[in-house]
Amino acid sequence: MTIYKKVLGGLVLSLIALGLWAWSPPQPLFSAPAEASLMQSASDVQWRVLLGPSIDTLRFHNLSNDNHSGVMTYGSREYGINLVWKTNTPATQTDVFFFENCTRPGDPIYGSDLIAIRVSRGPRDTAYFTYGTRSNGIDMVWAEERACEFRFVNRANADFAASGAADGGFAIYNTRKRAYLVYGVRDRGINLQWRTASPPVSVQAKADLVPIRLRWVGGQAVVTVQNQGNVPTTQARNEIKFKVASRIFTKVLTSRLAPGDSKDFVYALSGLSIEDCQPVTVQVDVDRVFQSGSGVFNNDLVTLQANAPDCAQDIVMLQQGALPTTNYQNMADVTIAQALPDMPLANPSRCFVDGDDPPTSGNDLVSLLRWDLSNIPRESIVTSVSLGLYVTDESQDTFRLYPLWSNWSEENTTWRQMDLRPDKNYDSTPVGELRPTTVGLVSAPLNSAGVEAVQSWVQESSTNAGLLLMNSTAIDGMDFACREEANPSLRPALAVRYRLNGQNRSMLLRPVADMTISQALPDASIGGRSGCHADGDDPPGSGNDLSTLLRWDLSLLPKNRAIESAHIVLHITNPSQDAYYLYAVGRNWGRNASWLQATESRAWVQPGGDVSGGVLGQFNADESGRAVLPLNSAGLAALRSWIDQPQGNDGFILRNPSAVDGLDFACSETRTAQNRPILVVEFK
């Protein structure tokens, strides 16, 4: 959650209805086929709605006419159908029209859709506008049953696009009368007439989700899906099924995707082994599900291919006094005992782990292990990590490894001093486990979270507090050789595989700084372990903004290689239905930045952060978990300039002043390394 309680759904809908959602980028028009004939007369295009650029289902609209100064509403009259012209006034829900999409319920309205038009005040609570003969006035009547007989047609296209209402208006065609509804003076009844004409030709409204790209990020597959149709997707479930090695993984698109827009879906391929550096062929199937249970969609299998990740070019073994050379003396380990809270255990050559020592006491023995990783270049990408221990006293229990967050030393560390608490000074999520059922060497490969932790230690050595080995429920303890073991080959070892800078096609970077700034709290810098936030209305109803500043150290990136693409990966803790936008910051800022101040001694020129240039990327993070924010061409150009001229790198700001549904994500200070923001740069 953001700092304040999020906006209720009803408020969001009311903001939409009032036309206050002004930030959303316009949806592109699509062209009609050359052979399609437009309406017989451009004079038919004389209707507009007054509540924003789009005509949407189940929203109320004032209906105006270019040939009259007022809006058409329900109203009693002596002759003809009860419709009147009123002076332009703000819309209310008691004198306006509702449009119902009969062809594609819940979707925006397009020229191929049949529409029912109703009012909320009439002979009954709800009355439908329909063709019907009468002795006075235009042949229109009120009906109790829904009448799906109208179509809206745009001037410029054979189809009515979502922006048609704002771009020159639209025509109203009745399929039963086979005529256009137009303004015209008559002796009795409202000044409306029918102009008979052939029905307009329109292209079929179709949302076509097509997978177009496969790439790998940190061992996870990222599939890009593009809407190659001519209408936005519905908010119904659109399942994107990813099939590789006979396994199927599924993601769901629930937000609208405009024509031409694309979205990345991240698949964590848990339980799947893929051979390093080999081409991998996957199949992606899009199941398009309309709310009405029918519709036109593409559900063909699409085949994509890309090399698997982890093309490791080097491996380093770290073992006290042995590997990579006998000069390596930078490993530390210690056992601490709950039963002896003020002293480390004295045995110099053995480490211990137990959940019940002395027996039946329920007291724990735990071991702490840490390797200095400075042998691994900071620009490397860690691809796999494995821990090796030589067991001297076996056990039937399973013991687990956890990343530590608090620093320690062999000489001074005790149970009381460490005060071990999950998610306080160590991550409660295990990154590896081992079951030492026999005496001898046992290996424990780290999972993806463990690899992420080691990656973060390589790039920022000050965060390397090592690993905790424990099991509080074990009743059969294990012993293993410590770093003081006389035989160097039996000492604890860590094997790290990584890609060197010269061979990397992609590089992953952690931010050096990130924080949230708040318009409601103009002197405060927000973030840290509580997370980062973005919003356009916090607290609700205030219109105050929350924005997040992010900056990466790009000195690890090579200057002589062309960038193909780049994206930011964020771990979303509170998703949003709004879009958020990335900009370049135009002024250097510090770790204490606030809404008013870039640094303690220097204010922003524009409160809320100085923005330089246009949008560098945008995304909709409508699901919890990992979300990908791709950089556009301007974003790639900004990266290139910052790599070449580091002094110009003032980082990014993520914001949307028009948003009403806030977004929360993990900051760089979050304890779980794999949830921290990542900048991924891919080279040609």
Side-chain angles (χ1 to χ4, degrees):
M1 282 292 144
T2 55
I3 305 161
Y4 302 97
K5 187 177 180 182
K6 290 297 159 198
V7 182
L8 296 176
L11 177 58
V12 175
L13 291 176
S14 64
L15 285 173
I16 296 172
L18 291 173
L20 299 179
W21 200 318
W23 191 265
S24 184
Q27 299 184 30
L29 297 176
F30 55 87
S31 301
E35 67 273 16
S37 61
L38 299 179
M39 295 159 289
Q40 293 183 358
S41 171
S43 62
D44 301 324
V45 181
Q46 53 186 248
W47 297 97
R48 299 175 186 269
V49 294
L50 302 184
L51 294 181
S54 64
I55 294 185
D56 289 339
T57 296
L58 302 180
R59 284 179 55 188
F60 59 89
H61 300 276
N62 275 136
L63 194 56
S64 72
N65 190 285
D66 291 346
N67 297 323
H68 193 280
S69 60
V71 295
M72 188 171 70
T73 72
Y74 174 84
S76 298
R77 62 185 317 132
E78 182 177 358
Y79 297 104
I81 189 170
N82 285 336
L83 288 172
V84 297
W85 295 104
K86 280 187 178 181
T87 303
N88 286 331
T89 56
T92 68
Q93 294 197 34
T94 59
D95 61 357
V96 293
F97 291 94
F98 289 78
F99 306 132
E100 298 181 8
N101 192 334
C102 305
T103 304
R104 302 177 303 123
D107 276 11
I109 292 169
Y110 283 77
S112 58
D113 297 330
L114 283 176
I115 304 156
I117 303 175
R118 64 178 173 89
V119 294
S120 57
R121 186 177 67 185
R124 287 159 291 278
D125 290 338
T126 295
Y128 286 93
F129 194 43
T130 181
Y131 170 74
T133 58
R134 60 190 318 143
S135 56
N136 290 294
I138 189 170
D139 285 340
M140 294 296 299
V141 297
W142 297 113
E144 185 173 358
E145 298 296 326
R146 185 170 74 159
C148 298
E149 59 188 55
F150 289 95
R151 284 175 58 188
F152 293 163
V153 187
N154 179 267
R155 181 201 305 272
N157 305 293
D159 203 10
F160 175 79
S163 56
D167 296 341
F170 59 97
I172 299 177
Y173 184 81
N174 186 279
T175 57
R176 290 180 57 207
K177 177 65 175 173
R178 297 180 65 83
Y180 289 100
L181 183 66
V182 298
Y183 178 83
V185 177
R186 57 170 62 246
D187 293 335
R188 292 185 175 184
I190 187 171
N191 287 336
L192 290 174
Q193 295 182 358
W194 292 113
R195 193 186 70 77
T196 303
S198 301
V201 176
S202 68
V203 297
Q204 189 173 36
K206 175 181 175 182
D208 194 2
L209 292 175
V210 179
I212 60 172
R213 187 184 182 198
L214 166 69
R215 63 188 188 278
W216 302 89
V217 178
Q220 299 184 96
V222 179
V223 175
T224 303
V225 176
Q226 184 181 52
N227 181 4
Q228 296 185 357
N230 50 29
V231 300
T233 61
T234 67
Q235 288 183 309
R237 292 172 61 90
N238 297 272
E239 293 187 346
I240 294 87
K241 296 180 179 179
F242 178 92
K243 182 179 180 182
V244 57
S246 301
R247 291 280 303 279
I248 296 178
F249 303 85
T250 301
K251 289 284 185 178
V252 176
L253 172 66
T254 56
S255 60
R256 293 192 187 278
L257 199 62
D261 285 357
S262 58
K263 184 176 177 66
D264 289 331
F265 294 88
V266 181
Y267 295 84
L269 307 181
S270 57
L272 188 65
S273 177
I274 299 177
E275 187 176 354
D276 295 347
C277 305
Q278 296 302 310
V280 176
T281 300
V282 304
Q283 291 181 312
V284 183
D285 183 11
V286 177
D287 286 345
R288 177 94 160 86
V289 183
F290 282 113
Q291 291 173 347
S292 61
S294 62
V296 178
F297 57 91
N298 174 9
N299 64 346
D300 295 330
L301 283 172
V302 175
T303 299
L304 303 172
Q305 188 177 73
N307 280 347
D310 300 351
C311 296
Q313 301 297 322
D314 208 347
I315 183 169
V316 63
M317 296 287 293
L318 302 174
Q319 191 173 41
Q320 182 78 2
L323 297 170
T325 71
T326 56
N327 293 326
Y328 182 77
Q329 301 290 328
N330 300 320
M331 192 266 170
D333 55 22
V334 66
T335 297
I336 55 177
Q338 190 174 7
L340 300 169
D342 296 311
M343 61 180 294
L345 294 193
N347 191 323
S349 63
R350 292 291 177 267
C351 289
F352 312 96
V353 190
D354 204 338
D356 188 37
D357 187 271
T360 73
S361 69
N363 289 328
D364 290 353
L365 288 172
V366 304
S367 285
L368 285 57
L369 306 101
R370 183 178 61 232
W371 287 264
D372 183 291
L373 302 174
S374 59
N375 292 55
I376 304 172
R378 286 185 61 215
E379 66 270 22
S380 301
I381 294 181
V382 177
T383 59
S384 68
V385 182
S386 185
L387 173 73
L389 300 177
Y390 187 84
V391 176
T392 58
D393 181 21
E394 72 274 17
S395 170
Q396 297 303 310
D397 284 321
T398 298
F399 299 88
R400 294 178 178 84
L401 292 156
Y402 303 86
L404 281 161
W405 296 336
S406 298
N407 259 320
W408 51 275
S409 66
E410 286 187 352
E411 298 79 12
N412 304 318
T413 298
T414 65
W415 183 272
R416 194 183 308 277
Q417 183 264 331
M418 284 299 294
D419 189 24
L420 291 170
R421 298 182 188 180
D423 293 327
K424 178 179 180 291
N425 48 19
Y426 73 92
D427 196 324
S428 62
T429 302
V431 298
E433 63 179 39
L434 54 90
R435 190 163 182 246
T437 56
T438 60
V439 171
L441 181 65
V442 62
S443 178
L446 301 193
N447 58 26
S448 60
V451 173
E452 293 271 6
V454 174
Q455 176 75 67
S456 67
W457 299 341
V458 168
Q459 290 190 353
E460 186 52 64
S461 60
S462 63
T463 64
N464 179 9
L467 296 167
L468 169 67
L469 182 61
M470 66 180 298
N471 181 352
S472 293
T473 62
I475 57 174
D476 184 11
M478 71 168 283
D479 305 349
F480 60 94
C482 283
R483 76 174 183 89
E484 295 88 351
E485 163 65 39
N487 183 349
S489 66
L490 303 184
R491 296 168 185 169
L494 191 73
V496 182
R497 296 179 70 197
Y498 60 91
R499 293 202 299 269
L500 295 173
N501 183 30
Q503 289 95 23
N504 290 344
R505 188 178 182 274
S506 62
M507 291 191 64
L508 286 69
L509 300 177
R510 302 289 180 184
V512 294
D514 54 16
M515 63 196 60
T516 296
I517 55 177
S518 168
Q519 189 174 5
L521 302 169
D523 297 315
S525 175
I526 307 161
R529 297 177 189 174
S530 64
C532 288
H533 319 278
D535 203 341
D537 188 39
D538 191 273
S542 68
N544 288 329
D545 293 350
L546 289 171
S547 303
T548 289
L549 302 163
L550 304 108
R551 184 169 59 228
W552 279 265
D553 177 4
L554 305 179
S555 63
L556 298 177
L557 300 180
K559 291 187 176 183
N560 58 348
R561 296 185 63 185
I563 298 174
E564 179 176 287
S565 66
H567 56 273
I568 295 171
V569 181
L570 300 176
H571 182 81
I572 307 301
T573 56
N574 179 49
S576 170
Q577 295 301 312
D578 285 334
Y580 283 87
Y581 303 88
L582 195 70
Y583 299 87
V585 181
R587 171 164 292 208
N588 188 38
W589 49 275
R591 290 185 176 274
N592 56 353
S594 66
W595 187 264
L596 299 177
Q597 295 289 129
T599 65
E600 286 186 353
S601 60
R602 191 179 187 189
W604 298 110
V605 174
Q606 179 66 42
D610 301 338
V611 173
S612 175
V615 175
L616 305 184
Q618 69 181 75
F619 75 146
N620 286 84
D622 52 9
E623 292 184 5
S624 297
R626 285 200 168 190
V628 176
L629 194 170
L631 270 62
N632 58 25
S633 58
L636 299 183
L639 272 186
R640 181 75 269 167
S641 68
W642 295 343
I643 293 171
D644 295 337
Q645 298 177 322
Q647 69 275 13
N649 178 13
D650 294 322
F652 302 101
I653 185 169
L654 185 67
R655 61 188 298 196
N656 181 354
S658 298
V660 293
D661 188 8
L663 177 72
D664 303 345
F665 56 93
C667 283
S668 61
E669 289 113 351
T670 190
R671 293 296 200 181
T672 305
Q674 64 178 341
N675 292 344
R676 297 168 188 162
I678 304 172
L679 174 64
V680 181
V681 182
E682 298 181 345
F683 300 98
K684 294 182 179 178

